[in-house]
Amino acid sequence: MRMTNQRRIILQELRKVFSHPTAPEVYELVKHKLPNISLGTVYRNLEVLCDLGLIQKIDVAGTQKRFDGTVVDHYHVRCLSCSRIDDVPLEILHSLDTAARELSDYEVIKHRLEFLGLCPECKAKTDKSSARKC
Ligand SMILES: [Zn+2]
Ligand SMILES: [Zn+2]
């Protein structure tokens, strides 16, 4: 498939950020460089880039799809309060695949693991509100 200019700019901008943006956020990132692009075109290009394996889609039920310019396997931590997603620089636990393979008879190739919690901002907020109660 041909790499259009639009697609290249979307890829470039996505690789610059570590915020795992949603499609509307990607649209905001590329708008200054592609003033004529529509949100629909951004969506379509993001799907194509996923299909080409150039970016990753983080699809969590009940939340907006987010996109990641880092395609090497890595773990994510998600905020239960505001849905922010960050990378966790933890080495991939290949021993989990081996263990699952032994227990399931499946040819386990990889695993998905997501950490859940409160991001620093949301944690600060809850700390403050619980302090007020005391
Ligand atoms: Zn948060
Ligand atoms: Zn990531």
Side-chain angles (χ1 to χ4, degrees):
M1 197 176 299
R2 202 165 66 91
M3 195 69 162
T4 62
N5 189 43
Q6 282 182 338
R7 207 166 289 154
R8 192 164 33 236
I9 288 171
I10 290 173
L11 183 61
Q12 269 168 11
E13 293 302 308
L14 192 58
R15 282 187 174 161
K16 272 190 220 161
V17 297
F18 296 94
S19 57
H20 307 84
T22 60
E25 285 164 354
V26 174
Y27 173 66
E28 292 299 322
L29 290 173
V30 300
K31 224 167 53 174
H32 65 287
K33 283 194 179 159
L34 301 167
N36 296 320
I37 201 164
S38 69
L39 181 56
T41 308
V42 170
Y43 267 110
R44 266 195 306 281
N45 279 302
L46 285 168
E47 292 295 339
V48 172
L49 287 168
C50 281
D51 291 345
L52 293 172
L54 295 169
I55 63 171
Q56 270 193 78
K57 188 157 47 177
I58 310 170
D59 214 345
V60 183
T63 65
Q64 247 187 322
K65 264 181 225 158
R66 289 174 171 274
F67 297 91
D68 192 344
T70 309
V71 283
V72 180
D73 276 347
H74 60 283
Y75 293 121
H76 288 125
V77 60
R78 180 162 59 91
C79 179
L80 289 166
S81 177
C82 70
S83 299
R84 170 176 155 182
I85 291 180
D86 279 293
D87 293 338
V88 180
L90 178 73
E91 214 182 300
I92 296 290
L93 302 166
H94 294 292
S95 55
L96 280 181
D97 300 341
T98 314
R101 193 179 299 142
E102 278 165 12
L103 292 167
S104 70
D105 285 341
Y106 269 59
E107 180 56 43
V108 175
I109 297 156
K110 57 192 228 170
H111 64 270
R112 280 199 194 148
L113 181 61
E114 186 189 35
F115 297 98
L116 301 169
L118 286 177
C119 73
E121 274 102 73
C122 292
K123 186 180 173 298
K125 265 184 245 159
T126 43
D127 285 353
K128 247 182 255 155
S129 57
S130 54
R132 233 180 279 134
K133 264 179 240 153
C134 293

